[in-house]
Short mmCIF file of all heavy atoms in Angstrom, two decimals:
data_model
loop_
_atom_site.label_atom_id
_atom_site.label_comp_id
_atom_site.label_asym_id
_atom_site.label_seq_id
_atom_site.Cartn_x
_atom_site.Cartn_y
_atom_site.Cartn_z
N MET A 7 0.85 -1.18 0.00
CA MET A 7 0.00 0.00 0.00
C MET A 7 0.90 1.24 0.00
O MET A 7 1.89 1.30 0.70
CB MET A 7 -0.91 -0.03 1.23
CG MET A 7 -1.87 1.13 1.28
SD MET A 7 -2.97 0.99 2.72
CE MET A 7 -4.36 0.19 1.95
N ALA A 8 0.55 2.24 -0.75
CA ALA A 8 1.33 3.47 -0.85
C ALA A 8 1.22 4.29 0.44
O ALA A 8 0.22 4.24 1.13
CB ALA A 8 0.85 4.31 -2.03
N ASP A 9 2.28 5.06 0.72
CA ASP A 9 2.30 5.91 1.91
C ASP A 9 1.67 7.25 1.56
O ASP A 9 2.31 8.16 1.08
CB ASP A 9 3.73 6.10 2.39
CG ASP A 9 3.80 6.84 3.71
OD1 ASP A 9 2.80 6.80 4.44
OD2 ASP A 9 4.85 7.43 4.00
N THR A 10 0.37 7.35 1.80
CA THR A 10 -0.36 8.58 1.51
C THR A 10 -0.82 9.21 2.82
O THR A 10 -0.91 8.51 3.83
CB THR A 10 -1.59 8.31 0.61
OG1 THR A 10 -2.45 7.42 1.32
CG2 THR A 10 -1.19 7.69 -0.72
N PRO A 11 -1.11 10.51 2.82
CA PRO A 11 -1.55 11.15 4.07
C PRO A 11 -2.73 10.47 4.73
O PRO A 11 -2.86 10.48 5.93
CB PRO A 11 -1.90 12.57 3.64
CG PRO A 11 -1.08 12.81 2.42
CD PRO A 11 -0.97 11.47 1.74
N GLY A 12 -3.59 9.84 3.97
CA GLY A 12 -4.78 9.22 4.53
C GLY A 12 -4.53 7.94 5.30
O GLY A 12 -5.32 7.53 6.12
N ASN A 13 -3.37 7.27 5.05
CA ASN A 13 -3.15 6.01 5.75
C ASN A 13 -1.90 6.02 6.62
O ASN A 13 -1.46 4.98 7.06
CB ASN A 13 -3.12 4.84 4.75
CG ASN A 13 -1.92 4.89 3.82
OD1 ASN A 13 -1.06 5.75 3.93
ND2 ASN A 13 -1.88 3.96 2.89
N ARG A 14 -1.33 7.15 6.92
CA ARG A 14 -0.20 7.23 7.83
C ARG A 14 -0.66 7.05 9.26
O ARG A 14 -1.60 7.69 9.70
CB ARG A 14 0.51 8.58 7.70
CG ARG A 14 1.27 8.73 6.43
CD ARG A 14 2.05 10.02 6.45
NE ARG A 14 2.55 10.26 5.11
CZ ARG A 14 2.75 11.43 4.58
NH1 ARG A 14 2.48 12.52 5.27
NH2 ARG A 14 3.21 11.55 3.37
N THR A 15 0.03 6.19 10.00
CA THR A 15 -0.34 5.98 11.39
C THR A 15 0.44 6.88 12.33
O THR A 15 0.10 7.00 13.48
CB THR A 15 -0.12 4.51 11.79
OG1 THR A 15 1.25 4.19 11.56
CG2 THR A 15 -1.03 3.60 11.00
N ASN A 16 1.49 7.53 11.83
CA ASN A 16 2.30 8.39 12.70
C ASN A 16 1.94 9.86 12.58
O ASN A 16 2.66 10.72 13.08
CB ASN A 16 3.78 8.19 12.40
CG ASN A 16 4.15 8.59 10.98
OD1 ASN A 16 3.29 8.80 10.15
ND2 ASN A 16 5.43 8.68 10.71
N ALA A 17 0.82 10.17 11.95
CA ALA A 17 0.39 11.56 11.82
C ALA A 17 0.00 12.10 13.19
O ALA A 17 -0.61 11.38 13.99
CB ALA A 17 -0.80 11.67 10.87
N PRO A 18 0.37 13.34 13.52
CA PRO A 18 0.02 13.89 14.83
C PRO A 18 -1.49 14.05 14.96
O PRO A 18 -2.18 14.40 14.01
CB PRO A 18 0.71 15.25 14.85
CG PRO A 18 0.90 15.61 13.42
CD PRO A 18 1.06 14.31 12.68
N LEU A 19 -2.00 13.79 16.14
CA LEU A 19 -3.43 13.92 16.40
C LEU A 19 -3.73 15.31 16.94
O LEU A 19 -2.90 15.94 17.58
CB LEU A 19 -3.90 12.86 17.39
CG LEU A 19 -3.73 11.42 16.94
CD1 LEU A 19 -4.15 10.47 18.04
CD2 LEU A 19 -4.50 11.15 15.67
N ILE A 20 -4.94 15.78 16.67
CA ILE A 20 -5.41 17.08 17.14
C ILE A 20 -6.60 16.84 18.04
O ILE A 20 -7.49 16.07 17.72
CB ILE A 20 -5.81 17.98 15.95
CG1 ILE A 20 -4.59 18.23 15.06
CG2 ILE A 20 -6.43 19.27 16.43
CD1 ILE A 20 -4.92 18.97 13.78
N ALA A 21 -6.65 17.53 19.18
CA ALA A 21 -7.75 17.36 20.13
C ALA A 21 -8.86 18.36 19.83
O ALA A 21 -8.61 19.52 19.54
CB ALA A 21 -7.25 17.56 21.55
N CYS A 22 -10.10 17.87 19.92
CA CYS A 22 -11.27 18.74 19.79
C CYS A 22 -11.23 19.75 20.93
O CYS A 22 -10.93 19.40 22.08
CB CYS A 22 -12.54 17.91 19.86
SG CYS A 22 -14.06 18.88 19.93
N HIS A 23 -11.53 20.99 20.65
CA HIS A 23 -11.49 22.06 21.66
C HIS A 23 -12.51 21.86 22.77
O HIS A 23 -12.29 22.27 23.89
CB HIS A 23 -11.71 23.41 20.98
CG HIS A 23 -11.59 24.58 21.91
ND1 HIS A 23 -10.38 25.01 22.39
CD2 HIS A 23 -12.52 25.38 22.46
CE1 HIS A 23 -10.58 26.03 23.20
NE2 HIS A 23 -11.87 26.28 23.26
N VAL A 24 -13.61 21.18 22.49
CA VAL A 24 -14.69 21.02 23.47
C VAL A 24 -14.57 19.69 24.22
O VAL A 24 -14.43 19.67 25.44
CB VAL A 24 -16.07 21.14 22.79
CG1 VAL A 24 -17.19 20.84 23.77
CG2 VAL A 24 -16.24 22.52 22.21
N CYS A 25 -14.59 18.58 23.51
CA CYS A 25 -14.63 17.27 24.17
C CYS A 25 -13.27 16.62 24.31
O CYS A 25 -13.15 15.59 24.96
CB CYS A 25 -15.58 16.33 23.43
SG CYS A 25 -14.98 15.83 21.80
N ARG A 26 -12.24 17.22 23.72
CA ARG A 26 -10.85 16.76 23.79
C ARG A 26 -10.63 15.42 23.10
O ARG A 26 -9.61 14.77 23.29
CB ARG A 26 -10.34 16.69 25.24
CG ARG A 26 -10.57 17.94 26.07
CD ARG A 26 -10.12 19.23 25.44
NE ARG A 26 -8.67 19.26 25.24
CZ ARG A 26 -8.05 20.16 24.47
NH1 ARG A 26 -8.75 21.07 23.85
NH2 ARG A 26 -6.76 20.14 24.32
N LYS A 27 -11.56 14.96 22.29
CA LYS A 27 -11.40 13.74 21.52
C LYS A 27 -10.27 13.93 20.52
O LYS A 27 -10.20 14.96 19.86
CB LYS A 27 -12.72 13.43 20.79
CG LYS A 27 -12.69 12.20 19.95
CD LYS A 27 -14.06 11.98 19.30
CE LYS A 27 -14.06 10.80 18.37
NZ LYS A 27 -15.35 10.63 17.73
N GLU A 28 -9.35 12.97 20.42
CA GLU A 28 -8.23 13.09 19.50
C GLU A 28 -8.61 12.60 18.12
O GLU A 28 -9.18 11.52 17.97
CB GLU A 28 -7.03 12.33 20.04
CG GLU A 28 -6.44 12.97 21.28
CD GLU A 28 -5.15 12.32 21.71
OE1 GLU A 28 -4.91 11.15 21.37
OE2 GLU A 28 -4.38 13.00 22.41
N LEU A 29 -8.30 13.41 17.13
CA LEU A 29 -8.67 13.12 15.75
C LEU A 29 -7.49 13.38 14.82
O LEU A 29 -6.59 14.15 15.15
CB LEU A 29 -9.83 14.04 15.33
CG LEU A 29 -11.05 14.01 16.22
CD1 LEU A 29 -11.86 15.27 16.05
CD2 LEU A 29 -11.88 12.79 15.89
N SER A 30 -7.54 12.77 13.64
CA SER A 30 -6.51 13.05 12.65
C SER A 30 -6.78 14.44 12.07
O SER A 30 -7.92 14.90 12.03
CB SER A 30 -6.53 12.00 11.55
OG SER A 30 -7.69 12.12 10.76
N PRO A 31 -5.74 15.13 11.63
CA PRO A 31 -5.93 16.49 11.08
C PRO A 31 -6.93 16.56 9.93
O PRO A 31 -7.60 17.57 9.76
CB PRO A 31 -4.53 16.87 10.61
CG PRO A 31 -3.61 16.05 11.46
CD PRO A 31 -4.35 14.76 11.69
N SER A 32 -7.07 15.49 9.17
CA SER A 32 -8.00 15.50 8.04
C SER A 32 -9.46 15.37 8.48
O SER A 32 -10.36 15.60 7.68
CB SER A 32 -7.66 14.38 7.07
OG SER A 32 -7.81 13.12 7.70
N ALA A 33 -9.71 15.02 9.74
CA ALA A 33 -11.08 14.78 10.21
C ALA A 33 -11.65 15.90 11.06
O ALA A 33 -12.79 15.81 11.48
CB ALA A 33 -11.13 13.47 10.99
N VAL A 34 -10.89 16.95 11.32
CA VAL A 34 -11.37 18.00 12.22
C VAL A 34 -12.05 19.13 11.46
O VAL A 34 -11.76 19.39 10.30
CB VAL A 34 -10.24 18.59 13.09
CG1 VAL A 34 -9.69 17.54 14.02
CG2 VAL A 34 -9.16 19.21 12.27
N PHE A 35 -12.97 19.78 12.13
CA PHE A 35 -13.66 20.98 11.63
C PHE A 35 -12.90 22.16 12.22
O PHE A 35 -12.78 22.27 13.44
CB PHE A 35 -15.12 20.95 12.10
CG PHE A 35 -15.88 22.21 11.80
CD1 PHE A 35 -16.11 22.59 10.50
CD2 PHE A 35 -16.36 23.00 12.83
CE1 PHE A 35 -16.82 23.75 10.23
CE2 PHE A 35 -17.06 24.15 12.57
CZ PHE A 35 -17.30 24.53 11.26
N THR A 36 -12.35 23.04 11.38
CA THR A 36 -11.47 24.10 11.84
C THR A 36 -11.93 25.48 11.39
O THR A 36 -11.54 25.95 10.34
CB THR A 36 -10.03 23.86 11.32
OG1 THR A 36 -9.65 22.53 11.63
CG2 THR A 36 -9.05 24.82 11.93
N PRO A 37 -12.78 26.13 12.17
CA PRO A 37 -13.12 27.52 11.84
C PRO A 37 -11.95 28.40 12.26
O PRO A 37 -11.40 28.24 13.35
CB PRO A 37 -14.35 27.80 12.70
CG PRO A 37 -14.22 26.87 13.84
CD PRO A 37 -13.50 25.65 13.32
N GLU A 38 -11.52 29.29 11.38
CA GLU A 38 -10.37 30.13 11.69
C GLU A 38 -10.82 31.49 12.20
O GLU A 38 -11.67 32.13 11.63
CB GLU A 38 -9.49 30.29 10.46
CG GLU A 38 -8.86 28.98 10.03
CD GLU A 38 -7.92 29.15 8.87
OE1 GLU A 38 -7.43 30.26 8.66
OE2 GLU A 38 -7.68 28.15 8.19
N GLY A 39 -10.24 31.92 13.29
CA GLY A 39 -10.50 33.23 13.85
C GLY A 39 -9.38 34.17 13.50
O GLY A 39 -8.39 33.80 12.88
N VAL A 40 -9.52 35.40 13.90
CA VAL A 40 -8.52 36.42 13.61
C VAL A 40 -7.25 36.15 14.41
O VAL A 40 -6.15 36.27 13.89
CB VAL A 40 -9.08 37.82 13.95
CG1 VAL A 40 -8.02 38.87 13.76
CG2 VAL A 40 -10.30 38.12 13.09
N GLU A 41 -7.39 35.77 15.68
CA GLU A 41 -6.24 35.62 16.55
C GLU A 41 -5.78 34.18 16.76
O GLU A 41 -4.66 33.96 17.20
CB GLU A 41 -6.56 36.23 17.92
CG GLU A 41 -6.87 37.71 17.84
CD GLU A 41 -7.30 38.27 19.18
OE1 GLU A 41 -7.09 37.60 20.20
OE2 GLU A 41 -7.85 39.37 19.19
N TYR A 42 -6.61 33.21 16.50
CA TYR A 42 -6.26 31.83 16.81
C TYR A 42 -7.08 30.87 15.95
O TYR A 42 -8.05 31.25 15.32
CB TYR A 42 -6.49 31.52 18.28
CG TYR A 42 -7.88 31.90 18.75
CD1 TYR A 42 -8.94 31.03 18.61
CD2 TYR A 42 -8.13 33.15 19.31
CE1 TYR A 42 -10.21 31.38 19.01
CE2 TYR A 42 -9.41 33.52 19.72
CZ TYR A 42 -10.43 32.62 19.57
OH TYR A 42 -11.68 32.98 19.97
N VAL A 43 -6.68 29.61 15.95
CA VAL A 43 -7.39 28.56 15.24
C VAL A 43 -7.78 27.51 16.26
O VAL A 43 -6.97 27.13 17.10
CB VAL A 43 -6.50 27.93 14.14
CG1 VAL A 43 -7.21 26.76 13.48
CG2 VAL A 43 -6.11 28.96 13.12
N GLN A 44 -9.02 27.07 16.22
CA GLN A 44 -9.49 26.01 17.12
C GLN A 44 -10.03 24.87 16.28
O GLN A 44 -10.54 25.08 15.18
CB GLN A 44 -10.57 26.54 18.05
CG GLN A 44 -10.01 27.60 18.98
CD GLN A 44 -11.07 28.20 19.85
OE1 GLN A 44 -12.24 28.22 19.50
NE2 GLN A 44 -10.65 28.71 20.99
N HIS A 45 -9.93 23.67 16.81
CA HIS A 45 -10.36 22.47 16.10
C HIS A 45 -11.51 21.82 16.85
O HIS A 45 -11.51 21.76 18.07
CB HIS A 45 -9.19 21.49 15.98
CG HIS A 45 -7.98 22.09 15.36
ND1 HIS A 45 -7.86 22.30 14.01
CD2 HIS A 45 -6.83 22.56 15.92
CE1 HIS A 45 -6.70 22.86 13.76
NE2 HIS A 45 -6.05 23.03 14.90
N PHE A 46 -12.49 21.30 16.08
CA PHE A 46 -13.66 20.65 16.65
C PHE A 46 -13.90 19.34 15.93
O PHE A 46 -13.67 19.23 14.72
CB PHE A 46 -14.89 21.55 16.51
CG PHE A 46 -14.73 22.88 17.18
CD1 PHE A 46 -14.25 23.97 16.48
CD2 PHE A 46 -15.01 23.03 18.53
CE1 PHE A 46 -14.07 25.20 17.10
CE2 PHE A 46 -14.84 24.26 19.15
CZ PHE A 46 -14.36 25.33 18.44
N CYS A 47 -14.38 18.32 16.66
CA CYS A 47 -14.62 17.01 16.05
C CYS A 47 -15.86 17.01 15.17
O CYS A 47 -16.01 16.15 14.31
CB CYS A 47 -14.70 15.93 17.12
SG CYS A 47 -16.09 16.09 18.25
N GLY A 48 -16.74 17.97 15.36
CA GLY A 48 -17.96 18.03 14.55
C GLY A 48 -18.75 19.27 14.87
O GLY A 48 -18.39 20.07 15.73
N ILE A 49 -19.85 19.42 14.17
CA ILE A 49 -20.67 20.61 14.31
C ILE A 49 -21.29 20.71 15.70
O ILE A 49 -21.49 21.81 16.21
CB ILE A 49 -21.74 20.68 13.19
CG1 ILE A 49 -22.38 22.06 13.13
CG2 ILE A 49 -22.78 19.60 13.35
CD1 ILE A 49 -21.48 23.14 12.64
N GLU A 50 -21.56 19.56 16.34
CA GLU A 50 -22.17 19.60 17.68
C GLU A 50 -21.24 20.28 18.68
O GLU A 50 -21.66 21.13 19.46
CB GLU A 50 -22.53 18.19 18.15
CG GLU A 50 -23.63 17.55 17.35
CD GLU A 50 -23.10 16.83 16.09
OE1 GLU A 50 -21.87 16.69 15.94
OE2 GLU A 50 -23.93 16.44 15.26
N CYS A 51 -19.96 19.92 18.66
CA CYS A 51 -19.00 20.54 19.59
C CYS A 51 -18.80 22.01 19.23
O CYS A 51 -18.66 22.85 20.12
CB CYS A 51 -17.67 19.79 19.57
SG CYS A 51 -17.69 18.28 20.57
N TYR A 52 -18.80 22.33 17.97
CA TYR A 52 -18.65 23.73 17.56
C TYR A 52 -19.84 24.56 18.06
O TYR A 52 -19.67 25.65 18.60
CB TYR A 52 -18.51 23.82 16.05
CG TYR A 52 -18.37 25.23 15.53
CD1 TYR A 52 -17.33 26.05 15.96
CD2 TYR A 52 -19.28 25.74 14.61
CE1 TYR A 52 -17.19 27.35 15.49
CE2 TYR A 52 -19.14 27.04 14.14
CZ TYR A 52 -18.10 27.83 14.58
OH TYR A 52 -17.97 29.12 14.11
N GLN A 53 -21.05 24.02 17.91
CA GLN A 53 -22.24 24.73 18.38
C GLN A 53 -22.23 24.88 19.90
O GLN A 53 -22.63 25.92 20.43
CB GLN A 53 -23.51 24.01 17.91
CG GLN A 53 -23.74 24.15 16.43
CD GLN A 53 -24.87 23.29 15.92
OE1 GLN A 53 -25.25 22.30 16.53
NE2 GLN A 53 -25.41 23.66 14.77
N GLN A 54 -21.75 23.87 20.62
CA GLN A 54 -21.64 23.96 22.07
C GLN A 54 -20.65 25.06 22.45
O GLN A 54 -20.90 25.85 23.35
CB GLN A 54 -21.19 22.62 22.66
CG GLN A 54 -21.06 22.66 24.17
CD GLN A 54 -20.64 21.33 24.75
OE1 GLN A 54 -20.76 20.29 24.13
NE2 GLN A 54 -20.12 21.37 25.96
N PHE A 55 -19.52 25.13 21.76
CA PHE A 55 -18.53 26.17 22.01
C PHE A 55 -19.14 27.56 21.78
O PHE A 55 -18.97 28.46 22.60
CB PHE A 55 -17.32 25.97 21.10
CG PHE A 55 -16.39 27.13 21.08
CD1 PHE A 55 -15.53 27.37 22.14
CD2 PHE A 55 -16.36 28.00 20.00
CE1 PHE A 55 -14.66 28.46 22.12
CE2 PHE A 55 -15.51 29.08 19.97
CZ PHE A 55 -14.64 29.32 21.04
N LEU A 56 -19.87 27.73 20.68
CA LEU A 56 -20.50 29.02 20.40
C LEU A 56 -21.51 29.40 21.48
O LEU A 56 -21.57 30.55 21.91
CB LEU A 56 -21.18 29.00 19.03
CG LEU A 56 -20.26 28.92 17.82
CD1 LEU A 56 -21.09 28.81 16.53
CD2 LEU A 56 -19.32 30.10 17.76
N ALA A 57 -22.31 28.42 21.93
CA ALA A 57 -23.31 28.68 22.97
C ALA A 57 -22.63 29.08 24.28
O ALA A 57 -23.06 30.03 24.94
CB ALA A 57 -24.18 27.45 23.18
N GLU A 58 -21.56 28.40 24.65
CA GLU A 58 -20.85 28.73 25.89
C GLU A 58 -20.19 30.10 25.79
O GLU A 58 -20.17 30.85 26.76
CB GLU A 58 -19.80 27.66 26.20
CG GLU A 58 -20.43 26.35 26.62
CD GLU A 58 -19.43 25.22 26.74
OE1 GLU A 58 -18.22 25.43 26.48
OE2 GLU A 58 -19.85 24.10 27.08
N THR A 59 -19.65 30.43 24.63
CA THR A 59 -19.04 31.74 24.42
C THR A 59 -20.09 32.84 24.54
O THR A 59 -19.86 33.86 25.19
CB THR A 59 -18.35 31.81 23.04
OG1 THR A 59 -17.36 30.79 22.98
CG2 THR A 59 -17.70 33.15 22.81
N LYS A 60 -21.27 32.61 23.95
CA LYS A 60 -22.34 33.60 24.01
C LYS A 60 -22.81 33.80 25.45
O LYS A 60 -23.04 34.92 25.89
CB LYS A 60 -23.51 33.16 23.14
CG LYS A 60 -24.63 34.16 23.06
CD LYS A 60 -25.73 33.70 22.12
CE LYS A 60 -26.85 34.72 22.06
NZ LYS A 60 -27.94 34.27 21.20
N GLN A 61 -22.93 32.70 26.22
CA GLN A 61 -23.33 32.80 27.62
C GLN A 61 -22.31 33.61 28.41
O GLN A 61 -22.68 34.43 29.25
CB GLN A 61 -23.45 31.41 28.24
CG GLN A 61 -24.69 30.67 27.86
CD GLN A 61 -24.74 29.29 28.51
OE1 GLN A 61 -23.74 28.78 29.00
NE2 GLN A 61 -25.92 28.69 28.50
N GLY A 62 -21.03 33.40 28.15
CA GLY A 62 -19.99 34.14 28.85
C GLY A 62 -20.04 35.63 28.53
O GLY A 62 -19.86 36.47 29.41
N GLU A 63 -20.32 35.96 27.28
CA GLU A 63 -20.41 37.35 26.88
C GLU A 63 -21.63 38.02 27.51
O GLU A 63 -21.59 39.18 27.92
CB GLU A 63 -20.45 37.47 25.36
CG GLU A 63 -19.12 37.13 24.71
CD GLU A 63 -19.19 37.05 23.20
OE1 GLU A 63 -20.31 37.16 22.63
OE2 GLU A 63 -18.13 36.88 22.57
N GLU A 64 -22.75 37.30 27.58
CA GLU A 64 -23.98 37.85 28.17
C GLU A 64 -23.82 38.03 29.68
O GLU A 64 -24.48 38.90 30.26
CB GLU A 64 -25.16 36.92 27.86
CG GLU A 64 -25.58 36.96 26.40
CD GLU A 64 -26.64 35.94 26.07
OE1 GLU A 64 -26.98 35.11 26.93
OE2 GLU A 64 -27.15 35.98 24.93
N ALA A 65 -22.97 37.23 30.29
CA ALA A 65 -22.74 37.33 31.73
C ALA A 65 -21.83 38.49 32.07
O ALA A 65 -21.57 38.75 33.23
CB ALA A 65 -22.18 36.02 32.27
N GLY A 66 -21.30 39.15 31.07
CA GLY A 66 -20.48 40.33 31.31
C GLY A 66 -19.01 40.17 31.03
O GLY A 66 -18.27 41.13 31.02
N GLY A 67 -18.56 38.97 30.80
CA GLY A 67 -17.14 38.75 30.50
C GLY A 67 -17.00 37.92 29.25
O GLY A 67 -17.74 36.97 29.05
N ALA A 68 -16.09 38.29 28.39
CA ALA A 68 -15.85 37.52 27.18
C ALA A 68 -15.16 36.23 27.56
O ALA A 68 -14.15 36.23 28.25
CB ALA A 68 -15.00 38.32 26.20
N ALA A 69 -15.72 35.11 27.13
CA ALA A 69 -15.12 33.79 27.42
C ALA A 69 -14.10 33.47 26.36
O ALA A 69 -14.42 32.99 25.29
CB ALA A 69 -16.23 32.73 27.44
N LYS A 70 -12.85 33.73 26.67
CA LYS A 70 -11.76 33.42 25.73
C LYS A 70 -11.11 32.13 26.14
O LYS A 70 -10.87 31.89 27.30
CB LYS A 70 -10.73 34.55 25.72
CG LYS A 70 -11.25 35.79 25.07
CD LYS A 70 -10.13 36.57 24.49
CE LYS A 70 -10.72 37.71 23.69
NZ LYS A 70 -9.78 38.34 22.86
N PRO A 71 -10.81 31.28 25.15
CA PRO A 71 -10.18 29.98 25.44
C PRO A 71 -8.76 30.15 25.89
O PRO A 71 -8.09 31.06 25.67
CB PRO A 71 -10.26 29.24 24.13
CG PRO A 71 -10.56 30.25 23.09
CD PRO A 71 -11.10 31.44 23.78
#
């Protein structure tokens, strides 16, 4: 089998920002911000992050990771 990015076992893993599940770089959802990049395992974790950030902002303090 050819050594392609999709079948390498030594590729570094990236942790989801919310649930900390480790994923291959090709499997993460990565919305890019102005100051930083965060990785999410799927839309559910991304939506949870957005909801928690909004709650922090409404409580009077910006919730920065």
Side-chain angles (χ1 to χ4, degrees):
M7 183 177 265
D9 187 24
T10 61
N13 67 3
R14 288 186 192 149
T15 57
N16 63 347
L19 298 177
I20 298 173
C22 173
H23 184 73
V24 175
C25 69
R26 310 309 297 166
K27 179 179 176 182
E28 291 187 337
L29 306 158
S30 69
S32 63
V34 296
F35 172 65
T36 309
E38 295 184 22
V40 176
E41 298 175 15
Y42 52 86
V43 176
Q44 295 176 334
H45 306 282
F46 301 92
C47 64
I49 193 69
E50 293 86 9
C51 280
Y52 179 59
Q53 289 172 338
Q54 180 179 341
F55 168 76
L56 291 176
E58 289 172 0
T59 301
K60 184 177 179 182
Q61 283 180 344
E63 290 172 355
E64 289 174 353
K70 290 207 173 193

